[in-house]
């Protein structure tokens, strides 16, 4: 069974408490060592002071071998403090619990740690004279266990109060983390309570600053989902609207062919049926192309419907515009020849790289050439020019010798299903919509005006910047 991951609140609580506990232990250790050092300094000074006081006194004995015993003062630490006075190598005075042997063999002046039997002592040695000529040696010692006892007693209150504060601190951390994460829980409840159709953006100004990037990302996701759903609805509506007419025409021609008594009439009806199927096939292809473009834009777009900057699709592969134009010109050549139209292509010898998917680049070129051929009369000329002008990575120009468009029609060029009446050509009006959508997705600039050379329409598509 997979191990369940901890919630964000539990992770924060565990992390903060572990950090607090670590700081508490570190503070306790620092306090222990500092207090121990200061206590040793103080008690060592007391040992030295006691030795100095003993050195100023005079030991009086009844006999040469008598040892003066210090009086018992009945203090709880008296048994843990001892002194000895040695004169010319003989013990002349000592405290009650002092041993008979020297506390610090060797008569080295100053502080030292000594072990006598099972007891450890901190000893201060005062010597009058030097070396073997030392006349009087005073030892003042204190058991190290007494020092540890004093240290523990002095720190017990502080450490115990800090230990009692830990549960209160843990409770405060838990409540603080829960309070800090309340906006996240509210955001989760808000998103969970939404219906699948509710794609309105969340209120960013009411969210804490730390949560706003998440809310902004969710709003972007909702916007992209809305664009995808709108694209699907548009595709469904477009397909239902546009396929109704060719399917009805195909059905009518099939009925005519079925009821025709003359072979010529039947063949004419069947030819019209095939032509209707071809028109329906082309319409479906265009609808699928448009849906694919809309899906790509919604999936990678900004989600606000604004125009993309140049190079917005940085992930798009690099392809050669000049080679793609030559390939599409060769593919449409048979279509133009059937109508006696002439096609010219001007392109540089070197490659012209553009940031665009090869399939979408072919779709763009094919629609521009198809429109130029379709709306030009028989025997007209279609010209393609690929160039690399200053300030742009590439420019594609397509001109035709057709009648052109009025200013009012130019304004509507690119609207879905818009067609100029009176051209005598069949179509769905989606070709230019596909071109416009491709330009919008890839940040291209499209300009349409009258061709000064051929008199028809001139379309210029510019890829800004370096590819």
């Amino acid at each position: 069974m997979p191990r369940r991951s901890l919630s964000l609140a539990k992770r924060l609580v565990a992390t903060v408490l572990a950090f607090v506990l670590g700081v508490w232990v570190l503070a306790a250790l620092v306090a222990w060592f500092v207090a121990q050092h200061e206590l040793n300094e103080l008690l060592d000074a007391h040992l030295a002071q006691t030795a100095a006081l003993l050195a100023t006194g005079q030991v009086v004995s009844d006999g040469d071998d008598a040892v003066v015993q210090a009086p018992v003062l009945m203090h709880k630490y008296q048994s843990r403090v001892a002194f000895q006075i040695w004169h010319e190598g003989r013990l002349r005075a000592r405290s009650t619990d002092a041993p008979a042997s020297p506390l610090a063999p060797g008569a080295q002046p100053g502080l030292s740690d000594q072990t006598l039997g099972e007891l450890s002592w901190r000893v201060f040695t005062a010597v009058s004279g030097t070396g073997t000529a030392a006349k009087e040696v005073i030892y003042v010692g204190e058991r190290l266990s007494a020092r540890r006892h004093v240290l523990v007693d002095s720190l017990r209150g502080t450490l115990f109060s800090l230990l009692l504060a830990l549960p209160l601190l843990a409770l405060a951390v838990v409540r603080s983390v829960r309070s800090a994460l309340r906006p996240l829980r509210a955001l989760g409840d808000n998103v969970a309570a939404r219906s699948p159709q509710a794609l309105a953006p969340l209120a960013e100004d009411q969210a804490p600053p730390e949560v706003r990037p998440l809310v902004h990302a969710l709003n972007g996701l909702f916007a992209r989902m809305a664009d995808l759903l709108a694209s699907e609805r548009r595709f469904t509506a477009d397909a239902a609207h546009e396929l109704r007419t060719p399917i009805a025409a195909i059905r009518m021609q099939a009925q005519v062919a079925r009821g025709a008594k003359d072979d010529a009439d039947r063949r004419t009806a069947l030819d019209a049926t095939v032509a209707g199927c071809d028109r329906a096939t082309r319409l479906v292809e265009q609808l699928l192309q448009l849906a694919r473009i809309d899906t790509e834009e919604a999936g990678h777009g900004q989600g606000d419907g604004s125009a993309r900057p140049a190079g917005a699709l940085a992930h798009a592969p690099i392809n050669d515009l000049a080679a793609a134009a030559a390939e599409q010109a060769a593919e449409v050549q048979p279509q133009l020849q059937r109508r006696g139209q002439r096609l010219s292509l001007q392109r540089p010898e070197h490659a012209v790289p553009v940031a665009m998917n090869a399939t979408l680049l072919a779709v763009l070129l094919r629609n521009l050439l198809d429109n130029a051929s379709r709306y030009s009369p028989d025997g007209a000329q279609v010209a393609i020019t690929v160039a690399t002008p200053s300030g742009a990575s590439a420019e594609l120009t397509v001109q035709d010798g057709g009648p052109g468009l009025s200013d009012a029609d130019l304004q509507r060029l690119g609207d879905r299903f818009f067609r100029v009446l009176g051209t005598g050509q069949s179509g769905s009006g989606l070709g230019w919509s596909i071109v416009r959508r491709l330009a919008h997705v890839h940040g291209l600039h499209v300009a349409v005006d009258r061709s000064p050379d051929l008199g028809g329409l001139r379309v210029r598509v510019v890829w800004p910047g370096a590819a």
Side-chain angles (χ1 to χ4, degrees):
M1 181 176 179
R3 180 181 174 182
R4 295 182 60 186
S5 60
L6 294 177
S7 64
L8 183 60
K10 291 181 179 179
R11 289 181 183 179
L12 287 175
V13 170
T15 302
V16 173
L17 289 183
F19 178 76
V20 170
L21 182 60
V23 171
W24 184 89
V25 172
L26 180 62
L29 292 175
V30 171
W32 175 275
F33 287 111
V34 170
Q36 185 181 43
H37 175 74
E38 296 299 326
L39 181 63
N40 287 333
E41 291 284 337
L42 178 63
L43 296 180
D44 289 345
H46 286 172
L47 293 178
Q49 187 180 25
T50 302
L53 290 175
L54 291 174
T56 59
Q58 183 176 3
V59 178
V60 180
S61 61
D62 295 336
D64 293 339
D65 295 332
V67 178
V68 177
Q69 299 286 338
V72 179
L73 301 177
M74 298 305 293
H75 191 274
K76 66 177 182 177
Y77 287 120
Q78 184 177 5
S79 62
R80 302 181 184 183
V81 180
F83 73 88
Q84 295 174 336
I85 300 178
W86 295 74
H87 184 74
E88 294 182 351
R90 298 173 58 187
L91 181 62
R92 308 297 295 173
R94 67 172 182 171
S95 60
T96 303
D97 296 319
S101 60
L103 288 174
Q108 294 296 326
L111 292 165
S112 63
D113 292 331
Q114 304 294 334
T115 301
L116 301 177
E118 297 181 353
L119 301 178
S120 298
W121 295 82
R122 180 72 168 171
V123 180
F124 182 83
T125 305
V127 180
S128 62
T130 59
T132 57
K135 294 183 177 180
E136 188 177 67
V137 180
I138 299 175
Y139 299 104
V140 181
E142 183 181 25
R143 292 185 189 179
L144 293 180
S145 59
R147 294 193 173 198
R148 287 192 294 268
H149 189 269
V150 173
L151 179 62
V152 170
D153 286 345
S154 61
L155 290 179
R156 181 183 290 116
T158 302
L159 297 180
F160 186 71
S161 61
L162 289 176
L163 189 62
L164 288 179
L166 279 180
L168 298 178
L169 183 60
L171 180 61
V173 169
V174 171
R175 293 180 64 88
S176 300
V177 169
R178 287 182 178 178
S179 176
L181 294 180
R182 189 176 294 116
L184 276 179
R185 290 194 296 270
L187 176 63
D189 295 339
N190 186 0
V191 175
R194 285 189 164 213
S195 64
Q197 293 78 20
L199 297 176
L202 300 169
E204 296 187 24
D205 53 349
Q206 299 178 1
E210 295 79 7
V211 185
R212 286 177 187 170
L214 175 60
V215 177
H216 183 73
L218 285 175
N219 288 338
L221 176 62
F222 291 154
R224 292 192 296 272
M225 291 175 61
D227 289 343
L228 286 174
L229 291 176
S231 175
E232 292 180 0
R233 286 193 292 266
R234 283 198 302 267
F235 174 76
T236 303
D238 294 347
H241 177 270
E242 286 301 307
L243 289 176
R244 184 183 300 114
T245 300
I247 290 177
I250 292 172
R251 185 176 185 277
M252 182 185 67
Q253 294 297 336
Q255 290 176 340
V256 171
R258 186 176 59 179
K261 298 179 180 180
D262 187 272
D263 291 339
D265 294 338
R266 185 179 296 109
R267 181 177 298 275
T268 301
L270 291 176
D271 291 341
T273 302
V274 173
C277 291
D278 293 338
R279 286 194 297 271
T281 300
R282 172 178 168 76
L283 176 60
V284 170
E285 290 177 353
Q286 289 183 315
L287 287 172
L288 290 175
Q289 291 172 0
L290 199 56
R292 189 182 304 113
I293 297 169
D294 288 342
T295 301
E296 181 175 348
E297 179 182 22
H300 297 90
Q302 302 173 9
D304 55 4
S306 60
R308 292 166 173 264
L313 292 183
H315 64 282
I318 305 299
N319 284 283
D320 184 4
L321 176 61
E327 181 179 352
Q328 292 302 315
E331 288 188 5
V332 300
Q333 187 69 36
Q335 173 186 338
L336 273 66
Q337 288 179 349
R338 285 195 296 267
R339 300 184 55 192
Q341 295 174 340
R342 303 181 308 278
L343 177 62
S344 63
L345 171 62
Q346 294 183 4
R347 47 163 290 187
E349 295 296 333
H350 58 81
V352 181
V354 292
M356 197 169 185
N357 179 276
T359 302
L360 297 182
L361 181 59
V363 170
L364 175 69
L365 289 164
R366 189 163 53 248
N367 279 279
L368 289 176
L369 293 176
D370 183 73
N371 283 335
S373 172
R374 184 182 297 273
Y375 295 101
S376 296
D378 295 345
Q381 183 177 355
V382 176
I384 310 172
T385 304
V386 177
T388 54
S390 175
S393 63
E395 179 180 281
L396 170 69
T397 304
V398 178
Q399 305 180 69
D400 62 65
L405 296 175
S406 64
D407 293 338
D409 291 336
L410 284 176
Q411 295 297 325
R412 295 195 58 191
L413 195 62
D415 293 348
R416 291 195 177 204
F417 308 115
F418 168 73
R419 293 181 58 223
V420 180
L421 300 178
T423 60
Q425 296 294 328
S426 62
S428 60
L430 288 176
W432 261 106
S433 181
I434 293 173
V435 172
R436 292 289 190 185
R437 300 301 289 176
L438 280 172
H440 179 74
V441 169
H442 292 83
L444 311 181
H445 176 67
V446 179
V448 184
D449 56 5
R450 181 171 292 277
S451 172
D453 300 326
L454 304 181
L457 208 62
R458 180 176 65 175
V459 182
R460 289 181 296 171
V461 182
V462 180
W463 280 259

